[in-house]
Amino acid sequence: MLYTSTRNRDLRINSAKAIVSGISKDGGLFVPEKLPYISLANLELLSNMNYIERASFILSKFLTDFTDNDILECVNKAYSKEKFSSDDIAPIVKLDDSKFVLELWHGPTCAFKDMALQLLPHLLTTSMKKEAGLKNVKILVATSGDTGKAALEGFKNVNGTSILVFYPENGVSDMQKLQMVTQDGKNVDVCSIKGNFDDAQSGVKKIFTDKELCDQLNENGVLLSSANSINWGRLVPQIVYYFSAYCDMLKNGHLSDGELVNIVVPTGNFGNILAAYYAKKMGLPVKKFICASNSNNVLTDFINTGRYDKNRKFYSTISPSMDILISSNLERLLFHLYNENDEKICNLYGELVNQGSFEVCEEVKMKLQDEFYGEFCDDIHTKKTIKSVFDKYKYLIDPHTAVAFNVYDKYVMDSKDNTKTIIASTASPYKFVKDVLDSIGEFADGNIFEQLGELSKITRTEIPKPISNLNNKNVRFNKVIFKDEMRSYLLNNTVCETI
Ligand SMILES: *Cc1c(COP(=O)(O)O)cnc(C)c1O
């Protein structure tokens, strides 16, 4: 299996190279040249396997330059009992005859990014061994919250790696900050900057394009890498759980062979929903994808009008991991909808850079609307949805998942389609304890640990261990620097040694 670029179809590289490079030199994203096919008989076979076996099966179709043993080792390290609170890894919960929730937050940081970021470090270090000369990788992350913590947990104590995370001093939630500053591990470092998320991100981008710095690191056998969500190594682990969810439903008798399902995903950078789309292209029986956005509804408008326009107001919402105006992974979908026309993608993304918008042709718009339904939900309705879902099912959801539930209801009202539906649940409600308490009509007073206790008591649900354990942890990282000090910080810090 080889990979090509969305902006240069002549390119052909193997998966190790795609994972080590992250992004193509032409600015495009790596996509598989041809998708593997998973038959209904395969699905039946997968149904009798556990998550690790299912993951190995799917990954082996994509990472053909990895040995079976390579893959098994990576997957075993990622989805271990110590790291995931559910033996099923990504369990499916039936709420009623049509709603099935796919819980993607049983990993060490209680958000769905763990599903990919627990595996990526192992895929990356294995890929580096295949790409001669690269011994160590330094991961640099600018984060507005979830990604930083998930990357820290993924890379902590992984041989041949070190990780440095920059976050805006006043731009992450109390819980997110607490999760990061108490991070353990020998090869990790966390530093806050005086500025906002854009400052942190621009600073990191500047370092990546600093040729002198990169050369200097390369000479010492160190590769600078980003682990961000456009890396193929982050997308491929996400395909697995859609197959796994379907297989669980087959096994439990909720689906008959080949029965179609809908999939709802609360969407930001379009990675999670794109993985579901790939699963369908590989043979998973899916009818409709429901793309749920918050008030940053650039994707809703795109699906409904065919015009992508990032020139709009940016909202800071209670579902912050979806506060995005440029959904990077959309480029991969467009490449496929345009029948892999790389020239077309270059033109569209040129327009996005120059004028902040582009419009797809009528034919592509029809294809898009055939597969995707798009709607959005603001903060007030997000909160109402948390309450109504809890009242109706005694099932507690976080604000991101609530956006998905809300938009799904709109879809059912619009379409009258009662097909069984998988709703991706992307974070534990305890990660957003204050807004969740507020939504169910409780006053969120006291400190964060008192709030956690309160939520647990009222809803009779359990606080995830990684969150309750934060209470016993010491703050390890309290450095604050100016945004123009990021480069020198990277060069001079000795806390974070590669192991
Ligand atoms: C990152 C994130 C999302 C958005 O996922 P994308 O792959 O960027 O579309 C949704 N919910 C949570 C909790 C997240 O952390």
Side-chain angles (χ1 to χ4, degrees):
M1 160 89 60
L2 293 173
Y3 292 78
T4 185
S5 160
T6 51
R7 301 195 197 178
N8 174 16
R9 254 182 77 171
D10 294 334
L11 190 84
R12 289 285 179 281
I13 57 170
N14 64 19
S15 70
K17 179 101 187 165
I19 291 168
V20 169
S21 314
I23 185 163
S24 183
K25 282 204 180 73
D26 48 54
L29 308 186
F30 295 120
V31 285
E33 194 187 12
K34 191 170 150 273
L35 287 171
Y37 183 65
I38 307 289
S39 65
L40 290 182
N42 286 152
L43 286 178
E44 190 122 13
L45 193 75
L46 286 168
S47 296
N48 296 316
M49 297 180 179
N50 65 25
Y51 194 87
I52 286 185
E53 292 163 335
R54 289 171 184 172
S56 304
F57 185 89
I58 306 278
L59 289 171
S60 69
K61 307 271 178 199
F62 283 104
L63 312 177
T64 48
D65 46 331
F66 284 50
T67 65
D68 286 349
N69 205 38
D70 284 341
I71 291 176
L72 201 60
E73 242 177 64
C74 290
V75 173
N76 269 317
K77 282 180 191 157
Y79 304 117
S80 67
K81 283 211 166 58
E82 297 76 55
K83 292 183 165 166
F84 281 77
S85 65
S86 163
D87 287 347
D88 292 340
I89 307 298
I92 194 122
V93 176
K94 181 180 179 197
L95 292 191
D96 62 24
D97 286 343
S98 60
K99 289 195 187 83
F100 294 79
V101 185
L102 173 58
E103 293 183 347
L104 300 172
W105 43 262
H106 290 276
T109 77
C110 306
F112 103 94
K113 295 201 169 54
D114 289 331
M115 297 303 299
L117 278 165
Q118 281 299 312
L119 184 59
L120 176 75
H122 306 296
L123 297 181
L124 185 60
T125 48
T126 309
S127 300
M128 280 163 50
K129 277 181 210 144
K130 296 180 188 298
E131 296 286 300
L134 293 169
K135 285 194 224 64
N136 296 304
V137 62
K138 191 167 198 77
I139 302 295
L140 204 54
V141 180
T143 186
S144 56
D146 281 347
T147 305
K149 176 64 182 178
L152 285 163
E153 276 298 322
F155 281 94
K156 92 172 174 197
N157 299 338
V158 173
N159 285 330
T161 76
S162 64
I163 173 164
L164 169 57
V165 171
F166 289 112
Y167 70 92
E169 189 186 11
N170 298 311
V172 300
S173 76
D174 291 347
M175 175 72 79
Q176 289 170 327
K177 186 167 175 169
L178 191 63
Q179 280 188 310
M180 288 193 283
V181 298
T182 55
Q183 176 66 43
D184 44 37
K186 286 177 269 189
N187 60 339
V188 304
D189 194 10
V190 177
C191 178
S192 69
I193 62 154
K194 288 187 184 299
N196 58 25
F197 172 62
D198 279 336
D199 295 323
Q201 190 159 43
S202 316
V204 163
K205 275 197 181 144
K206 230 172 167 171
I207 294 173
F208 279 120
T209 50
D210 186 332
K211 197 166 173 314
E212 193 190 329
L213 177 70
C214 293
D215 286 349
Q216 194 182 328
L217 290 168
N218 272 341
E219 264 166 42
N220 297 321
V222 177
L223 171 81
L224 207 55
S225 184
S226 80
N228 70 18
S229 86
I230 53 177
N231 191 310
W232 180 251
R234 268 190 68 176
L235 204 55
V236 69
Q238 301 185 349
I239 297 173
V240 174
Y241 50 70
Y242 290 109
F243 279 103
S244 180
Y246 191 93
C247 290
D248 281 342
M249 288 169 73
L250 270 182
K251 196 172 152 187
N252 297 334
H254 297 314
L255 289 176
S256 51
D257 273 0
E259 186 175 343
L260 293 172
V261 293
N262 292 325
I263 296 180
V264 193
V265 185
T267 306
N269 216 8
F270 210 75
N272 201 2
I273 196 166
L274 182 74
Y277 173 81
Y278 277 133
K280 178 179 181 180
K281 295 288 137 188
M282 293 163 63
L284 193 72
V286 180
K287 184 170 177 185
K288 202 90 179 178
F289 297 103
I290 296 151
C291 177
S293 302
N294 63 24
S295 292
N296 296 295
N297 57 356
V298 61
L299 286 167
T300 309
D301 287 348
F302 177 60
I303 291 168
N304 292 308
T305 67
R307 186 175 163 76
Y308 193 95
D309 189 354
K310 76 170 178 78
N311 302 311
R312 59 177 69 216
K313 192 173 167 223
F314 177 84
Y315 295 93
S316 291
T317 73
I318 59 168
S319 46
S321 301
M322 296 156 68
D323 291 347
I324 285 175
L325 293 181
I326 299 186
S327 291
S328 314
N329 273 299
L330 184 68
E331 179 168 342
R332 287 187 165 111
L333 176 69
L334 292 175
F335 180 72
H336 299 301
L337 295 181
Y338 269 103
N339 299 325
E340 338 248 287
N341 184 336
D342 51 356
E343 213 174 297
K344 199 71 216 177
I345 299 302
C346 288
N347 293 341
L348 292 179
Y349 279 82
E351 283 173 40
L352 187 65
V353 169
N354 292 329
Q355 61 194 48
S357 66
F358 61 73
E359 189 159 359
V360 296
C361 65
E362 197 56 28
E363 189 196 330
V364 165
K365 185 175 128 186
M366 299 310 275
K367 278 201 219 170
L368 179 72
Q369 292 178 347
D370 198 37
E371 304 255 26
F372 291 86
Y373 171 91
E375 259 300 339
F376 78 102
C377 157
D378 65 14
D379 280 355
I380 293 173
H381 288 92
T382 304
K383 287 187 174 181
K384 282 191 174 158
T385 305
I386 293 174
K387 175 151 178 61
S388 65
V389 169
F390 185 69
D391 288 346
K392 187 164 177 192
Y393 302 106
K394 289 286 163 275
Y395 184 73
L396 194 64
I397 54 176
D398 94 292
H400 301 78
T401 309
V403 169
F405 270 80
N406 182 284
V407 167
Y408 175 60
D409 281 345
K410 288 193 177 117
Y411 169 75
V412 174
M413 276 208 290
D414 281 357
S415 66
K416 308 279 183 288
D417 175 10
N418 286 318
T419 302
K420 286 167 193 159
T421 297
I422 295 172
I423 304 175
S425 173
T426 51
S428 157
Y430 284 92
K431 251 197 123 154
F432 302 91
V433 57
K434 197 159 181 265
D435 288 318
V436 171
L437 271 175
D438 194 34
S439 305
I440 58 172
E442 297 298 326
F443 194 61
D445 53 1
N447 69 29
I448 203 164
F449 294 102
E450 287 162 341
Q451 293 171 12
L452 291 170
E454 186 73 6
L455 186 61
S456 175
K457 201 174 88 200
I458 296 166
T459 60
R460 298 195 185 151
T461 55
E462 223 175 292
I463 310 173
K465 287 259 151 45
I467 288 179
S468 58
N469 285 347
L470 289 173
N471 207 1
N472 315 321
K473 290 200 165 172
N474 295 322
V475 172
R476 283 183 72 198
F477 305 102
N478 51 17
K479 256 230 159 75
V480 189
I481 62 169
F482 289 101
K483 60 185 181 188
D484 56 9
E485 293 175 326
M486 289 166 69
R487 185 186 194 271
S488 61
Y489 185 86
L490 170 74
L491 279 175
N492 299 332
N493 91 82
T494 48
V495 186
C496 155
E497 292 294 349
T498 307
I499 55 167

